[in-house]
Amino acid sequence: MTAKVIDGKAFAATVRGKVAVHVSRLKADHNITPGLAVVLVGEDPASQVYVRSKGKMTLEVGMKSVEHKLDIETPEADLLALIEQLNNDPEIHGILVQLPLPKHLNEDLVINSISPAKDVDGFHISNVGLLSTGQKSMVPCTPLGCLMMLRDHHGSISGMNAVVIGRSNIVGKPMAQLLLNDSCTVTIAHSRTKDLPDVVRGADIVIAAVGRPEMVPGDWIKKGATVIDVGINRVEKPEGGTRLVGDVDYASCAEVAGAITPVPGGVGPMTIACLLANTVTACSRANGLVEPEGLTA
Ligand code: NDP
């Protein structure tokens, strides 16, 4: 079997198109422009790239984009004061603090100071609680993107066996929760899981969110399963230079899977598209308006 390739790049463009349509309606019918504020502390090169591309795509879908770049030594009180100001700004509907933060800043405290209604990353403890009790929440972007691709590919995923490898707060746990909310039978695997290959072999859906290059080989995958590869790992090429690979061994997994996401071009583009989707959802909710269809969990 050769797997169908789930094209995250094309799907993300469709999601951004839907966001843009909803933004133009908000502008034309209600004179509202959704606004996203991104806060970056320090000069981590990868974070700078992410923030730049988030800002560019925010503008492309017609939203307002605000960037706050703070010095790496910014005191916690100053960062909290900026977040408070953004919480109270009626033109800002989404606030994202780029992680990781420098060591002297308490990440939990900072995230939980964002107004839950503007927490477009979905990391605030209130949103975590709402998601885990099946209530309307802001959903973390990467798992939301994975869910959208699964629903698009399968229609319904109800009753399917899903294995999520990785239990981080930003990917593994919310992913498992979303799959459970969609009535999958969910197993969460991690570094202490016994017989991981056997656990994965029982899965109709495999979500790999580990951070280990090409860790999952094809002989762990059940024939016809859907493989969603969240991993982004930069590895050296034998001929020099580097390339990006996921957490699954794409070549061998694609031989047995029914469908698979590539790296790059799979989950990655969906993450930013879902950030924009969350911002337009937050804006609609804040103004008591109908939410865009198909852009939330
Ligand atoms: P974390 O490092 O926070 O979590 C990794 C998880 O993998 C942990 O739960 C860990 O288990 C588990 N793990 C580590 N080694 C093994 C192993 N040998 N067997 C089974 N489980 C293992 O990573 P993130 O969740 O933040 O990210 C995971 C990957 O996804 C990374 O490659 C990251 O770059 C990528 N990513 C991609 C995004 C995108 O937009 N595409 C967005 C966010 C992340 P334990 O808890 O026991 O330590």
Side-chain angles (χ1 to χ4, degrees), residues 42-53:
E43 293 182 353
D44 175 63
S47 294
Q48 284 180 326
V49 172
Y50 288 135
V51 167
R52 213 175 303 129
S53 98

Side-chain angles (χ1 to χ4, degrees), residues 142 165-168 170-171 190-192 196 209-212 215 230-233 247 267-268 271:
T142 300
I165 319 176
R167 57 174 164 178
S168 71
I170 63 167
V171 189
H190 45 78
S191 66
R192 308 292 173 90
L196 183 60
V210 187
R212 288 180 177 256
M215 187 189 92
V230 180
I232 302 178
N233 310 289
D247 289 341
V267 176
T271 296

Side-chain angles (χ1 to χ4, degrees), residues 4-254:
K4 174 187 185 290
V5 180
I6 299 177
D7 185 347
K9 203 171 163 194
F11 194 55
T14 309
V15 171
R16 291 199 305 275
K18 284 188 192 168
V19 171
V21 168
H22 202 78
V23 170
S24 50
R25 277 198 208 125
L26 284 169
K27 285 181 176 175
D29 300 347
H30 304 283
N31 200 23
I32 298 168
T33 302
L36 172 65
V38 177
V39 180
L40 173 64
V41 187
E43 293 182 353
D44 175 63
S47 294
Q48 284 180 326
V49 172
Y50 288 135
V51 167
R52 213 175 303 129
S53 98
K54 282 168 187 170
K56 183 170 161 275
M57 292 198 185
T58 304
L59 294 174
E60 275 172 15
V61 295
M63 300 200 286
K64 176 177 165 170
S65 166
V66 179
E67 282 175 28
H68 290 272
K69 293 184 178 161
L70 307 183
D71 187 86
I72 191 160
E73 310 234 317
T74 299
E76 195 166 81
D78 291 8
L79 176 57
L80 295 176
L82 171 61
I83 292 172
E84 189 55 19
Q85 183 196 315
L86 295 170
N87 282 341
N88 294 323
D89 185 339
E91 292 193 2
I92 295 297
H93 305 93
I95 303 169
L96 180 149
V97 176
Q98 185 66 42
L99 302 178
L101 287 171
K103 292 274 178 288
H104 69 283
L105 300 171
N106 178 337
E107 224 161 74
D108 287 339
L109 182 70
V110 169
I111 289 168
N112 290 323
S113 72
I114 297 171
S115 160
K118 296 188 178 188
D119 168 39
V120 282
D121 250 343
F123 297 157
H124 190 289
I125 193 75
S126 296
N127 282 315
V128 175
L130 290 167
L131 177 64
S132 69
T133 49
Q135 299 180 69
K136 194 181 269 190
S137 65
M138 295 309 303
V139 178
C141 304
T142 300
L144 178 59
C146 296
L147 181 74
M148 282 184 186
M149 289 193 286
L150 285 168
R151 283 179 176 169
D152 184 65
H153 179 67
H154 287 283
S156 169
I157 54 173
S158 174
M160 295 177 87
N161 286 335
V163 172
V164 181
I165 319 176
R167 57 174 164 178
S168 71
N169 289 336
I170 63 167
V171 189
K173 283 182 201 157
M175 186 73 247
Q177 205 61 63
L178 286 171
L179 293 164
L180 190 59
N181 291 352
D182 261 28
S183 299
C184 287
T185 303
V186 184
T187 304
I188 307 175
H190 45 78
S191 66
R192 308 292 173 90
T193 298
K194 286 184 185 154
D195 299 327
L196 183 60
D198 272 0
V199 172
V200 176
R201 279 184 196 115
D204 304 309
I205 294 169
V206 179
I207 312 276
V210 187
R212 288 180 177 256
E214 300 175 319
M215 187 189 92
V216 178
D219 68 1
W220 292 13
I221 302 297
K222 180 162 111 180
K223 195 169 177 211
T226 299
V227 177
I228 306 287
D229 191 352
V230 180
I232 302 178
N233 310 289
R234 191 166 285 283
V235 295
E236 307 273 325
K237 289 195 284 191
E239 67 272 27
T242 61
R243 67 187 179 105
L244 286 184
V245 298
D247 289 341
V248 311
D249 175 38
Y250 185 83
S252 63
C253 288

